[in-house]
Amino acid sequence: MTFARMKKGGLIAAAIASLLAGPAFAKVTVLGWPGGPEEAALRAAADAYNAKADVADDNKVELLFFNRDGFWDKLQADLAAGSTAFDANLLATYSIGRYAPFMEPVELSDEAKSVYGEQVLTTMQYEGKQYGVPTDLSLHFMYYRTDLIEALLKDDAAKARFAEISEKHLGKKLEPKTPDEWTWDDYAATALYFTQAVNPDSPTRYGTVLQLKNLLFNMMVFQSLPRAYGGNWMDDAGKVTVDSEAYRKGLETYKLLYDAGATPRDSLSYEFAEANAAYASGQIAAMVQWNGAASELMSKEKSPSVGDITEAVAPPTGPEGRFTHIHGLGFGLNKNAENKDGAIAFIKWLSSKEAALVYARNSGAPALTPDVVKDVAAERPDLVKLGEFAGKYGYVMNGGTTAKALSVYELQAKEFTGYWSGQQSLDEALKNTEAGMTELLK
C-alpha cells in the first residue's frame, strides 16, 4: 500500500493510524541492535536479501530498532507479553535462557557449520537447541608490545633478571618466551618483569592492566584464566564447581599482580575504556582485552605510542588447554511472529556463506571458518584471528546461556572484586560465590 494510491481524507487518516500502531509495510520485521557496526552490517544484509529475485514481496525484510538504554529489559517484556511487533529479534549468548520460553528453536542452512564452525554455533544454543544464527562474535586477544618482547628475548642479562623475578614471586625460575607460547605463569612473570615497582630497570611502569571494576563483563575477561586450569561453572550433573583449585589459581594470580603493582593501583575502577587508555599510553607491556579493541590499539593513527608495535595472539594456555571466552549476538525467531515462514527463511539465509560475507564486508564481526574468511581476509584481516581463535579456543561456561547467566556474572564481579580489593578473604569470596550461584542456577 502506498500514499500515491490512496484517496484523500479517511483513507490517509486510517493509514497514519496504522503506521503509528505498528510497522504497516513490514513483511518480515527484524529487531536489531541500534547504532554502530552491528546496525550497519544488518542493514546491508537486509538490502542484499531483499534484492534477491527469489524473495517475494510479502517476505522482504524491514528493520526495527529500540534504544540501547534498557534494550534487553524491553525485549524481555515485549516477548513475554506476546508482542507481534517483530518476527525475528536480536539475541545474546548470555541471555538466551532468559528469552527462550518466548522463542522457537530455528533450523539453520546446510552451510552453517562450514561457515561458522561448531564452536561458534554453540553461542546461540540453549538446552541442546539452536535458537539463533551468530552474526557478531566477541572474544579476547592478548595484546603485547613487540619491541619490548623482542628486546627481552635477545638480552641474556634481562633473561637472568626475569628468572630471578619469577622465582621470587611465582616460586619457579622461568625463561622469557614469545607470547604465543605463554602459559598463564609466563604471562604473570612477564608482567612482573615489566613493572618498575618490581624491576626498576623496566622500560614501562606497569607490566599489564587488569580490569577489576565490579562489572559483569570484566568477569568474562577474567574467567579464561581459571578455565585453562579446568574451571567451569557447573559439572555435568549441574553442581556448581566454582570453589575449586582452578578458580583459586585465577583469583590468586590477579591478586598477586595487583598487590605487586603490575597493574595500575586504580585498576579497581577499570573496564574496557580505561584499560585501553592505559595500554595506549605506552606504559603497559601486555594485557588481555576484547577483540573489539584491535582497531584502536593496533592503529598508528588512533594509538600513536603503540599502534605499530602492538601484536595480538590468543590468551595464554594452562594445564587443561588454551581458552578464550566467546559470546555472540545473533538473530532468532519470536514465538508469536506474524510472518513466521518469512522470518525462518531470512534466518536460514543469514546463516549461509553468501550472507556471512555480506555481513563481514559491511563492518560486522562474524567468526568465520578459514575456508570462508579467506574471501574477505584482505579487507578484514581482524576477522582471520577472530574465526581462528573462536574455532580453536572458544568456550561457553556450563550454564553460561541460562536465564540467570547475567546474574551469575554480577555475583562473581561483586565477590571477586571484594577479594582483589582486600575486603574479604579468598575462602569467603569462593564460598559466597558458590552459594549464590547454587541458588541462581538451581
Side-chain angles (χ1 to χ4, degrees):
M1 179 170 58
T2 64
F3 283 112
R5 293 165 53 188
M6 291 181 186
K7 295 180 180 179
K8 294 182 179 180
L11 285 179
I12 292 179
I16 292 174
S18 178
L19 282 169
L20 292 174
F25 295 108
K27 304 305 180 183
V28 177
T29 306
V30 178
L31 174 65
W33 183 246
E38 297 88 356
E39 179 176 342
L42 180 59
R43 288 190 181 279
D47 288 345
Y49 182 74
N50 290 341
K52 291 172 61 68
D54 59 346
V55 176
D57 287 344
D58 59 353
N59 279 328
K60 292 188 183 297
V61 167
E62 183 163 306
L63 302 179
L64 174 67
F65 298 96
F66 294 162
N67 291 327
R68 281 177 179 260
D69 292 342
F71 181 95
W72 299 109
D73 289 336
K74 177 171 171 48
L75 175 58
Q76 182 181 27
D78 284 2
L79 286 170
S83 175
T84 59
F86 47 85
D87 301 302
N89 57 274
L90 190 75
L91 279 177
T93 302
Y94 44 74
S95 60
I96 292 179
R98 187 176 175 185
Y99 307 128
F102 318 112
M103 301 183 69
E104 290 187 5
V106 296
E107 182 178 340
L108 304 183
S109 72
D110 293 338
E111 299 176 325
K113 189 174 292 187
S114 63
V115 169
Y116 295 103
E118 200 161 335
Q119 196 64 31
V120 175
L121 292 179
T122 64
T123 65
M124 291 285 113
Q125 292 174 5
Y126 177 65
E127 295 186 341
K129 297 178 181 179
Q130 194 77 36
Y131 274 87
V133 51
T135 51
D136 292 274
L137 197 80
S138 293
L139 48 67
H140 301 130
F141 289 168
M142 174 65 78
Y143 297 89
Y144 68 94
R145 290 270 301 275
T146 57
D147 59 329
L148 298 179
I149 300 301
E150 288 169 3
L152 172 60
L153 293 173
K154 294 176 182 177
D155 189 331
D156 288 340
K159 291 179 183 178
R161 180 70 178 128
F162 187 99
E164 292 173 5
I165 289 172
S166 65
E167 184 174 33
K168 177 180 179 180
H169 291 273
L170 300 173
K172 52 188 173 182
K173 285 187 177 181
L174 297 174
E175 295 183 358
K177 297 177 184 176
T178 60
D180 211 25
E181 300 174 337
W182 281 353
T183 64
W184 282 101
D185 280 345
D186 292 322
Y187 156 71
T190 305
L192 292 165
Y193 173 83
F194 283 111
T195 296
Q196 289 177 356
V198 176
N199 175 17
D201 296 327
S202 171
T204 54
R205 186 173 180 182
Y206 305 105
T208 193
V209 54
L210 302 177
Q211 299 176 56
L212 303 178
K213 184 177 180 179
N214 182 354
L215 181 74
L216 67 95
F217 295 107
N218 287 348
M219 294 302 99
M220 298 175 185
V221 178
F222 160 73
Q223 70 179 6
S224 293
L225 198 172
R227 183 70 184 88
Y229 286 81
N232 210 326
W233 284 8
M234 300 186 295
D235 61 21
D236 292 339
K239 182 181 184 298
V240 174
T241 56
V242 168
D243 190 352
S244 64
E245 289 305 311
Y247 266 89
R248 287 178 181 274
K249 171 65 176 180
L251 288 162
E252 287 174 337
T253 298
Y254 264 42
K255 179 70 168 170
L256 169 67
L257 294 175
Y258 181 72
D259 288 348
T263 186
R265 183 56 54 183
D266 57 348
S267 294
L268 289 166
S269 65
Y270 279 19
E271 52 180 298
F272 182 81
E274 291 81 6
N276 284 353
Y279 183 91
S281 73
Q283 290 299 310
I284 306 294
M287 75 167 178
V288 180
Q289 179 61 294
W290 296 98
N291 62 290
S295 61
E296 176 183 343
L297 301 182
M298 301 176 75
S299 166
K300 179 65 175 177
E301 291 71 31
K302 296 178 180 179
S303 300
S305 295
V306 299
D308 59 351
I309 50 174
T310 292
E311 186 52 81
V313 294
T317 190
E320 297 301 319
R322 195 174 188 179
F323 297 93
T324 173
H325 164 95
I326 55 175
H327 71 248
L329 295 178
F331 293 91
L333 179 64
N334 180 3
K335 183 181 289 187
N336 291 295
E338 290 191 326
N339 189 344
K340 194 168 290 187
D341 290 341
I344 290 171
F346 177 66
I347 290 170
K348 182 170 287 191
W349 175 81
L350 204 55
S351 67
S352 70
K353 178 179 179 179
E354 176 189 13
L357 293 178
V358 170
Y359 206 87
R361 289 184 173 119
N362 288 275
S363 302
L368 307 173
T369 59
D371 285 344
V372 176
V373 79
K374 66 184 180 183
D375 290 354
V376 292
E379 53 205 292
R380 292 296 306 276
D382 58 308
L383 296 186
V384 177
K385 286 184 177 179
L386 180 68
E388 177 190 352
F389 295 171
K392 287 183 178 180
Y393 313 122
Y395 71 89
V396 176
M397 285 294 196
N398 186 10
T401 63
T402 61
K404 297 293 186 178
L406 286 181
S407 297
V408 168
Y409 282 120
E410 289 171 346
L411 170 68
Q412 291 178 352
K414 174 178 176 289
E415 299 297 339
F416 294 169
T417 300
Y419 165 62
W420 291 324
S421 64
Q423 296 176 19
Q424 63 179 343
S425 69
L426 177 60
D427 286 340
E428 289 171 328
L430 288 171
K431 180 180 178 181
N432 293 342
T433 302
E434 182 140 318
M437 287 179 63
T438 300
E439 182 64 24
L440 288 168
L441 297 173
K442 65 182 180 180

